[in-house]
Amino acid sequence: MNQVSLLIMLFAALITPMLMARFKITFLPTAVVEIIIGIVLGPSLLNVVHTTGILNQLSDIGVIILLFLSGMEINFDLFKKSPTELSPLAQKNAAQNSRWSPILLSTLAYLTIIGISLSLAGIFKWTNLFSDFWLAAILFATISLGIVIATLKENELLSKAFGQTVLLIAVLGEVIPMLGLTFYASFFGDSSKSLWLLLLIIVVAVFLLRRFKFFFNFFEQINKSTTQLDIRLAFFLIVAMVTVASSVGAENILGAFIAGIILKLLRPSENTKDKLDSIGYGFFIPIFFMMSGIGLNLRTLLSDPQALTLIPLFFLAYIIAKLAIYPILKLRFKNMNAVAGTSLSTATITMVVAILQVAKNMHTINAHQSGAFLLAAVLTCIVSPLIFSKTYKPEPEDLKKQIVHFIGTNIFTVPVAQQLTQGWYDIQMYTDNEKNFRTYNSEINAHLLASLDAEELIKQGVFDTDILVVGHFRAQENYEIAKAAKAYGIRRVIVRFEDRNLLSEHEKQLRDLGIEIYNTPEVNIAMLRGLIETPSTMLLLNETENAIFEVQVRNRKYTGMEIKNLSFINKITISQIFRNRHLIRPVGSTQLELNDRLIFTGNKNDTEEIRRELGKMN
């Protein structure tokens, strides 16, 4: 019976995503579908899978790994980012909204969630609908971080102010209930341990972090093809923190959650995270969600009048607890986007399932109440992503083009600027040469400056750009401008040097500063050599319709995706991938990783949009 039930569940886990893809079921999170599959397989309908010891053990491991991976989802850079760490242009844009930063908005929003959740829990206790005040408050305050991340990632919003705000609300909606559950279990559980011993978890976490951070770079240099040291470290952290949590009377899922946070702080590679996701979501986590559905007997649940009353009331409570997010989001974002962010924040499933499991183990909730909470949570996951997809529209700040400023208007820079204006670029040109200004002003948006001193350039806003191209002929002046621009904080500075002697003197210094150098004679020599050695490549460079392009993968939507599955792969040919200073010759099954640099060819009309899609931060 154990083997048959496990076999049926593994088969269900295999075909579920295939059926979702076949019938294009994208509006439902996979976790919700797996719970529904569990309901179908369990005593509610088919009754072909029964609860067994081995399935319970696998389910327990599944919830531990799920909470571990949830801890790894938290992006601490959102909390650390400050104006001094941003580029001057980003600082200027951020200053316009500094009054309502994502951290401030999310903190205010979650404080309202706590207040309303406590009030709702009080109402349920006062009306005798549900007497456990603290458990209800914890459940109403939960938010599903996994669903929020997946939705924001799919809509490419993780790097936007709106996405960061909603993401931080979801982070709080997972961390705070987790801590609340720990204190709840300590006060009302059977453990005789002292509550202050929970501090030991944090002490051990800090110790492990400091201990292993020193060796992490060493781990990266070791061949992991047979040892898989990164995965061994992950499971050591899981077992260590679960053991510590259990020893001090806390829930093991808290230890798993902290283990995920520790590994996240160690900044593991994308490959490590992919392998951990494969282990968790490939085997253990689907069993956990399906077992949650199997444990839900709808026949008895729906025959109970009290449960039928509680399901819609709990659903409304989940929604009402988050309604105050709307006026807070509206302080910075459009009305409909405030609705979208509020609706997405009502989705809750992961923590609800974990909390209900703990509550059942503590015998503080009966099966009907647990089922009502779970069904109501499933309904939120069906409704909230649908509302979000219908209401969200890009904010004006999300539609800004990449800004490129040119210093120097001449026969080399003007044609480049004219072509770039046709793509996703906002071009401005500056010169101190009045003759050149009169010559080219009618062809391109040019500005005449009194001088090219650094102070004047800063005063006129020339350095407030994403990319600065220093392209006039005066080499010494280019050198001084390039240094000043990089010191100012411009992300990319491209400078032209025609004086080989001056370039030889300062080339190492400039490259160490991250300044990109362009020298016409060297480029011409390289092009002539290329024409002799690789004529097909040179023909492609001079082709009017096709060209060679390079882009850095910064959009997390595409990380972990195989090249053959890219929606635009039929429009381009990827010839090389530079990853961690190594050259990779890709095949169809090669997976993209964050910060990969792709060299590809394609039609100029198609590739600009593809480069923008792959290169935008998400």
Side-chain angles (χ1 to χ4, degrees), residues 409 429-438 441 445-452 456 460:
T409 54
M429 302 200 73
Y430 300 88
T431 182
D432 63 340
N433 188 313
E434 186 173 353
K435 179 180 178 182
N436 285 2
F437 171 75
R438 290 197 304 268
N441 188 43
N445 185 16
H447 304 271
L448 181 63
L449 301 176
S451 72
L452 295 183
E456 177 69 13
Q460 297 299 326

Side-chain angles (χ1 to χ4, degrees), residues 443-484:
E443 302 179 29
I444 195 71
N445 185 16
H447 304 271
L448 181 63
L449 301 176
S451 72
L452 295 183
D453 291 336
E455 293 184 2
E456 177 69 13
L457 295 175
I458 295 173
K459 179 181 177 181
Q460 297 299 326
V462 181
F463 284 177
D464 294 327
T465 181
D466 298 310
I467 301 175
L468 178 69
V469 180
V470 187
H472 60 60
F473 294 97
R474 302 190 295 273
Q476 182 62 40
E477 198 165 16
N478 285 358
Y479 167 68
E480 299 295 340
I481 293 173
K483 287 198 305 178

Side-chain angles (χ1 to χ4, degrees), residues 44 52 96 164 179 203 208 272 297 308 319 324 327 354 382 421 613:
S44 299
T52 64
Q96 300 172 0
Q164 290 177 357
L179 295 175
V203 174
L208 291 173
T272 298
N297 193 331
L308 286 175
I319 303 296
I382 295 174
T421 54
E613 178 72 9

Side-chain angles (χ1 to χ4, degrees), residues 303-493:
S303 64
D304 181 6
Q306 183 186 14
L308 286 175
T309 302
L310 288 177
I311 292 170
L313 290 178
F314 286 157
F315 173 75
L316 288 175
Y318 285 134
I319 303 296
I320 294 171
K322 284 84 175 183
L323 286 181
I325 296 177
Y326 169 75
I328 294 175
L329 292 180
K330 202 171 71 167
L331 294 172
R332 176 166 179 177
F333 307 110
K334 296 187 295 188
N335 287 345
M336 293 307 294
N337 286 350
V339 172
T342 303
S343 68
L344 187 58
S345 299
T346 62
T348 180
I349 190 66
T350 307
M351 283 303 302
V352 168
V353 178
I355 291 169
L356 291 176
Q357 185 183 58
V358 173
K360 285 189 289 186
N361 293 337
M362 294 173 57
H363 306 292
T364 58
I365 190 173
N366 61 45
H368 289 175
Q369 293 168 335
S370 176
F373 271 116
L374 181 57
L375 277 181
V378 170
L379 290 175
T380 64
C381 295
I382 295 174
V383 173
S384 61
L386 288 174
I387 297 176
F388 179 87
S389 63
K390 297 293 184 182
T391 54
Y392 179 78
K393 302 295 179 185
E395 292 285 330
E397 61 190 88
D398 297 341
L399 300 175
K400 291 181 179 179
K401 296 183 176 182
Q402 191 169 30
I403 300 174
V404 182
H405 287 178
F406 285 80
I407 296 178
T409 54
N410 49 58
I411 58 173
F412 294 103
T413 57
V414 170
V416 175
Q418 289 174 326
Q419 293 185 28
L420 289 176
T421 54
Q422 301 172 14
W424 198 253
Y425 295 96
D426 181 358
I427 304 298
Q428 300 286 333
M429 302 200 73
Y430 300 88
T431 182
D432 63 340
N433 188 313
E434 186 173 353
K435 179 180 178 182
N436 285 2
F437 171 75
R438 290 197 304 268
T439 301
Y440 296 110
N441 188 43
S442 60
E443 302 179 29
I444 195 71
N445 185 16
H447 304 271
L448 181 63
L449 301 176
S451 72
L452 295 183
D453 291 336
E455 293 184 2
E456 177 69 13
L457 295 175
I458 295 173
K459 179 181 177 181
Q460 297 299 326
V462 181
F463 284 177
D464 294 327
T465 181
D466 298 310
I467 301 175
L468 178 69
V469 180
V470 187
H472 60 60
F473 294 97
R474 302 190 295 273
Q476 182 62 40
E477 198 165 16
N478 285 358
Y479 167 68
E480 299 295 340
I481 293 173
K483 287 198 305 178
K486 204 63 182 178
Y488 187 78
I490 299 177
R491 183 169 58 88
R492 290 189 64 197
V493 178

Side-chain angles (χ1 to χ4, degrees), residues 31 52 134 163 240 255 270 281 300 368 391 470 499 546:
T52 64
W134 293 110
E270 290 293 323
Y281 290 102
T300 57
H368 289 175
T391 54
V470 187
D499 187 334
N546 297 289

Side-chain angles (χ1 to χ4, degrees), residues 586-604:
V587 295
S589 59
T590 302
Q591 292 185 348
L592 297 183
E593 292 187 9
L594 198 65
N595 296 320
D596 278 353
R597 302 195 74 90
L598 309 184
I599 308 296
F600 65 93
T601 57
N603 187 285
K604 293 179 180 178

